[in-house]
Amino acid sequence: MSIIIYGKNAVREAVASGCATGLKVVKRFEQDMIVQQAKAKKIPVELVEEPELTRIAKNPSHQGFLAICKGWKNYTIEELIESSKRSAYPLLLILDGIEDPHNLGAILRSCDAFGIDGIIMKKRNEVPLNSTVAKVSTGAICYEKVASVPNLSQAIRKLKDNGFWVVTSDGSGTTNYDEIDYKCPIALVVGSEGFGVSRLLVRDSDFVAKIPMVGHVNSLNASVATAVFLAQISSSRSH
């Protein structure tokens, strides 16, 4: 199934990563470098008027660029575990009920920035990888390995059997996020914007860690919490 990606940065990465099978570009951008790169890769480019692109994208914020992409591969847990072995310290992200496409797009962008090895999501009750997610991720969606699974508890058990330690981000934690030794295979669990991580997954975790809050609000949204944890993990592993 084909997927539409729009927005200049997202389309640039769709071309660079090889997932774009065709481009539709507003005529005034005919000489843009993205168009030249697409042509060099033998990717068909169609020049259109702006209203036509808006109609196809169903959104006026396309910035003049739209890509038709092949559907994303759904990796298996086994494939993520195997590919993560190339890392000195494997790192996988488990998402429990992320429903906001803007949050998921921002999470993908952070995952790409910090070089995580893969993402595990539920098949149901989770926002799908769609055009909005792709645009917010600024193209990071083209590079991340994602596994959609029917049961996160079973996925966690498999990860534990393969040497992963499970760290859950939750305000109920008694350990601060910067007090954990991350120099080992880690599966980080982040919950939904409204309900957090399910009690079952909290129970299955090796560590339940919180980000200390000193202001007036008592929580961060899912994408910000993910970025804070990934930055801490990356920093602690570099020392």
Side-chain angles (χ1 to χ4, degrees):
M1 182 179 69
S2 296
I3 294 174
I4 288 175
I5 286 181
Y6 58 85
K8 189 170 185 178
N9 289 331
V11 171
R12 178 189 296 114
E13 298 308 327
V15 171
S17 66
C19 74
T21 59
L23 260 61
K24 294 182 185 293
V25 179
V26 170
K27 290 180 178 179
R28 68 176 181 274
F29 297 121
E30 182 177 5
Q31 300 304 318
D32 191 274
M33 185 60 69
I34 296 174
V35 174
Q36 305 310 312
Q37 290 172 342
K39 289 180 177 179
K41 288 174 173 271
K42 309 297 184 185
I43 299 171
V45 179
E46 180 183 354
L47 300 177
V48 299
E49 299 292 345
E50 191 151 345
E52 173 70 2
L53 206 60
T54 300
R55 183 188 66 79
I56 298 170
K58 299 179 181 178
N59 193 307
S61 63
H62 48 69
Q63 300 172 308
F65 294 84
L66 181 147
I68 296 92
C69 299
K70 52 194 174 186
W72 319 116
K73 175 181 177 180
N74 183 38
Y75 288 81
T76 65
I77 296 291
E78 291 78 10
E79 286 175 319
L80 293 188
I81 291 171
E82 187 61 31
S83 66
S84 74
K85 292 178 181 178
R86 303 189 191 102
S87 301
Y89 302 117
L91 175 58
L92 298 175
L93 176 66
I94 299 173
L95 300 178
D96 183 18
I98 303 298
E99 298 176 340
D100 183 347
H102 292 85
N103 257 341
L104 180 55
I107 287 170
L108 291 173
R109 192 170 180 177
S110 293
C111 289
D112 182 65
F114 291 104
I116 78 159
D117 297 297
I119 300 165
I120 300 168
M121 302 169 56
K122 293 189 294 186
K123 281 187 176 179
R124 297 183 179 179
N125 302 318
E126 201 101 47
V127 64
L129 299 178
N130 57 28
S131 299
T132 301
V133 172
K135 186 174 189 300
V136 175
S137 79
T138 65
I141 193 173
C142 299
Y143 300 102
E144 295 309 308
K145 297 177 180 178
V146 180
S148 294
V149 300
N151 188 296
L152 290 181
S153 290
Q154 291 177 4
I156 283 177
R157 284 196 291 272
K158 186 173 289 290
L159 292 174
K160 284 187 171 185
D161 289 343
N162 283 272
F164 280 80
W165 290 79
V166 179
V167 178
T168 288
S169 168
D170 194 87
S172 68
T174 56
T175 302
N176 285 345
Y177 77 113
D178 57 355
E179 296 174 340
I180 297 172
D181 181 2
Y182 294 107
K183 291 183 178 179
C184 60
I186 294 289
L188 172 66
V189 184
V190 176
S192 71
E193 300 83 3
F195 301 101
V197 178
S198 71
R199 293 301 95 189
L200 181 59
L201 297 190
V202 170
R203 187 198 68 188
D204 291 342
S205 303
D206 298 299
F207 298 96
V208 180
K210 64 181 179 180
I211 300 170
M213 308 292 290
V214 297
H216 297 89
V217 298
N218 63 3
S219 65
L220 299 170
N221 74 20
S223 63
V224 174
T226 301
V228 170
F229 263 90
L230 294 181
Q232 174 60 33
I233 293 170
S234 177
S235 175
S236 68
R237 287 174 164 184
S238 65
H239 297 146

